Amino acid sequence: MGLKVNIKKKLPHFEVDVAFSCDDKKVLALVGPSGAGKTTIIRMIAGLERPDSGTISFNGEVWFDGAKGVMRPPQERSLGFVFQDYTLFPHLNVYKNVAFAAESKEEVVRLLKLFDIWRLKDRRQHEISGGERQRCAICQALARRPRVLLLDEPFSALDANTRRNMRDELKDLRNQLAIPIIHVTHDIDEALFLADDVLPMVNGKIVRKWMLSSC
């Protein structure tokens, strides 16, 4: 059944009005320029912002229903959210950042080794590179074993070479996860490389959908 989204929200310059779904084991990319409403959409999916109307559900479980007044808080949605600006705790080392919301120590070790940052487990955020920080942030999001993974421009602050490497790692990772992944980006090449479905957006609306059976 997967994630189903049908929502509206009035913003200062336009109204977000979208409807889409993303099944388990699939990657859906929201692509568009800055200010197109992409981040607002995934913040509404996460429960960080409230839509004006519509519904959001996952496997039949209602997360939001404007007509019925249902608004489940973020902690009850079991999501993983990776922001573009590395939401790591600066006072904690890599291991403790990932372990903060982890279900088990074994899962922390597995993820750090999977993303090749086990050797950095005792270092803090300022002691590692941008790519390593983003790997840590992805591990942090996955350590809670989320039912849906949301990625908000996760590679935008990285240099070109690191970005390519992270993109390849995410492509490999998606084959190991059995959850829907929503990926927000302004880079159409990145979207085409990673996603099964690409939803180009302008001013809060989906303007076209490409089905990418080759991805």
Side-chain angles (χ1 to χ4, degrees):
M1 296 171 66
L3 178 70
K4 298 185 183 300
V5 178
N6 188 345
I7 50 176
K8 295 182 180 180
K9 185 177 179 67
K10 188 71 174 177
L11 299 182
H13 302 295
F14 56 82
E15 182 182 50
V16 171
D17 183 356
V18 294
F20 59 84
S21 61
C22 185
D23 296 332
D24 290 343
K25 300 183 180 181
K26 296 293 185 179
V27 177
L28 182 146
L30 300 176
V31 178
S34 297
K38 307 183 301 298
T39 294
T40 297
I41 290 168
I42 61 170
R43 284 180 62 84
M44 288 191 286
I45 294 172
L48 299 174
E49 293 190 31
R50 187 185 185 97
D52 294 334
S53 62
T55 59
I56 301 171
S57 64
F58 176 72
N59 286 351
E61 178 185 297
V62 177
W63 288 354
F64 173 78
D65 189 322
K68 296 180 179 179
V70 176
M71 176 69 177
R72 298 194 69 177
Q75 63 271 22
E76 294 183 6
R77 302 190 187 197
S78 298
L79 293 156
F81 202 145
V82 179
F83 299 86
Q84 62 181 342
D85 54 353
Y86 322 122
T87 53
L88 303 178
F89 299 106
H91 63 290
L92 298 180
N93 62 27
V94 166
Y95 181 92
K96 290 181 179 179
N97 260 288
V98 177
F100 182 79
E103 291 194 353
S104 69
K105 292 181 179 179
E106 291 76 17
E107 184 69 0
V108 176
V109 174
R110 185 186 74 83
L111 288 168
L112 292 177
K113 290 183 176 179
L114 175 65
F115 282 86
D116 194 28
I117 54 173
W118 173 251
R119 69 191 188 284
L120 307 173
K121 64 184 185 298
D122 296 321
R123 297 187 188 180
R124 296 189 181 185
Q125 177 177 316
H126 68 278
E127 298 175 315
I128 59 179
S129 70
E132 290 162 347
R133 286 195 292 271
Q134 198 60 299
R135 287 186 180 93
C136 182
I138 294 173
C139 289
Q140 187 185 65
L142 293 176
R144 64 187 66 201
R145 295 187 178 175
R147 296 186 291 174
V148 178
L149 181 62
L150 305 176
L151 304 172
D152 185 12
E153 298 275 10
F155 312 140
S156 63
L158 305 178
D159 63 79
N161 186 56
T162 303
R163 185 169 185 155
R164 283 192 296 271
N165 291 339
M166 289 295 298
R167 191 174 67 176
D168 290 342
E169 289 177 15
L170 182 59
K171 180 99 172 181
D172 292 339
L173 176 66
R174 55 157 290 176
N175 296 323
Q176 302 178 39
L177 298 176
I179 62 175
I181 300 174
I182 309 297
H183 181 70
V184 164
T185 180
H186 63 271
D187 187 334
I188 186 62
D189 291 333
E190 182 175 290
L192 291 169
F193 179 78
L194 288 171
D196 300 284
D197 299 347
V198 175
L199 303 182
M201 292 192 60
V202 176
N203 292 338
K205 308 293 191 297
I206 296 166
V207 294
R208 186 180 174 188
K209 181 175 181 179
W210 295 311
M211 299 299 294
L212 305 174
S213 58
S214 62
C215 290

